[in-house]
Amino acid sequence: MLLVLLQFLSVAASSSLRCDPAFRGACKPTVEEKPTCTSILLSYCEDMAYSQTIFPNIIGHRTREEAEAGAEYLLLSVVESLLGGECNPEVRMLGCSVLAPRCEAGRALKPCRGVCEAVQRRCGRAFQAIDMAWPYFMDCDRFFFSEQEGCYDPLEGLSEQRAEAADVLPPDDAASVIHFVHHSNAQMISVLKRTEERCSDIARTYSIGRSADGRELLVIEFSNNPGRHELLEPEMKYVGNVHGNEVLGRQLLIYLAQYLCLEYRLGNERVQSLVNRTRIHILPSVNPDGYEVAAAGVQDSNYGDEQEGLRYDTSSIGRNNAQNVDLNRNFPDLTSVVYRRRRQKGYRTDHIPIPDSYWFGKVAPETYAVMKWIRSVPFVLSADFHGGDLVVSYPYDVSKHPLDRNMFSPTPDDQVFKLLARTYANAHGTMSIESAQCGSSRAFSQNGTVNGAQWSSFAGGMQDFNYLHTNCFEVTVELGCERFPPDEDLLTSWHENQEALIKFAELVSSDWTCSPTSAFSLCVCVCVCVCVCVVPQAHQGIKGIVKDEDGNGIQGARVSVRGIRHDVTTAENGDYWRLLTPGIHIVSASAPGFSRAMKKVRLPSRMDSAGRVDFVLHKSVVEPDVQEEADSIPSLGTYDRFDPYNQYERYATMTDLSSIREERAEKPWWWSYFALPGRPAPTWLLKHY
């Protein structure tokens, strides 16, 4: 009896109540409210061409509050920043057409599938570049409709807005195309790759290695024949972001790459001349790992400070790489080697081998990659960009003072380095103005330039290594005391540095083909004349080819200048470049197994292009004085000895992220925007989830 009673109660409880009109108040019939059009109150959707929306929306959000709290709306609020300004506002407006659909006569209108597909074709790669999946709520097949089904254009009115903007901005102004904002590592790679695609005839990207955390060290080069060294065409490089928290140089180099591409295509004769006669290599970031830490520190320190805006004071956060190595103290200290040898007979300050002892220390993968890079390309000129001061520093960085106190410590090419430094500082908007200078260099700088050791002596720097180990003359450009400037200052910084970046590169821009009828000729001894064409560049020095009697270029021949204990060597085809100041110089060329050739060269002070000085060497036995000079140099291992014990060979095989971060299951850099406590994780944003 008890069992029967329990079964009866169970059935009664599970049965649904029915309204019986005979019993008042027993139950109330369900009344469904009919959706109505309402004003758009989502701030990121207020610029849509319509003003009325309806809830539930197309993906089921029942109220404005629910839509506002979702990850979908959060994405629309930050998508411009995530994509570096690309595809804005198309992506945002496309998303708004789903989250806040157009409402007329109490019903939601459907956005057009064709518009969605066009935006996805154009912008899908921008999402791929930051390793983000195309958002599910912008699935063109699920939430968008054909014209036959009565759809509307969610981007209505956008073309008119752009037409108005085009009337305001000049069409040939690169500043109207370049987005002057900070770029994440993924955005930087995307910009460089897009620039390569847009200017594939003059631009090429290539990788020199990976960072400690596996991020690619990507270079973009510009040349009329990218990817190959051309005879007598000089090669120069710009390097940025060695210290991860010093980011202005990184941004300027990203802008420079876009500028060269845009201006070349627009027919800017100056840019075309520069690119056609020079091979320019741009490495915006040597330390992408440090940049990520610095950028995260900026966001953390300014979280919630919306009224006052962002304050980009990151101190030293992110300065070092992921191994906590200061990359600008990690290169071989060859300057101290020079100081120890300077009283020995026949000592030189060029192509000094890396001591074997260096490889027993901690060599960062970024340092390793840069060293291999500058050993493999015959660079002539370089600038390395930093922040924290406003000055151009030139070698040496290591003081010659016996107690290592700061002291003016010039190289044998001190006059050349001063000229290089002045070229950038004078072309900069404010650097040479005393009242505009900042930082600790003010006590020592002269018109915006300073000797590194006189300012602040340190060992292991990149510019000293360039000069003492290769043919490359490098200076360090400190771009300002604010290491991580806000977005609103970037355009001003670009205008301050644009002319200096171009003029500095023009220092090695090749001259035109010379002929005997040129307006000016430069004579050398033995009545040999070299014709020089005057062109609107400012190449300082000489260049030429060292050949044997059969006309073959001699690789590795030494080109010497009397009175300057620093030689340059010839590249693979025997060509060379030697930066020199105006004046009379005795120049010689030599190579093992050949007799020395010598010429007297006069470089006029107003000469605006490179003097062409070729040498023909005759075979002979090695001269006794040359052999004696070579024997007097202490043995530090041959120049070709690089990582002799293969301790860092693994750096050369870093081909993908998994090879060095096997345990890394880290989410993309943008994940922290969306993984908020108390909310479901939007895994639909992950490409490989």
Side-chain angles (χ1 to χ4, degrees), residues 144-156:
F144 295 80
F145 300 84
S146 65
E147 293 183 2
Q148 290 76 13
E149 296 173 282
C151 67
Y152 74 96
D153 180 1
L155 305 186
E156 180 184 348

Side-chain angles (χ1 to χ4, degrees), residues 332-364:
D333 177 16
L334 303 182
T335 320
S336 297
V337 175
V338 169
Y339 290 159
R340 288 196 299 268
R341 285 168 34 182
R342 60 186 172 184
R343 288 186 173 83
Q344 297 179 10
K345 180 181 178 181
Y347 88 97
R348 295 193 303 266
T349 63
D350 61 90
H351 299 87
I352 298 175
I354 299 173
D356 286 356
S357 59
Y358 168 76
W359 300 104
F360 293 103
K362 188 173 185 178
V363 181

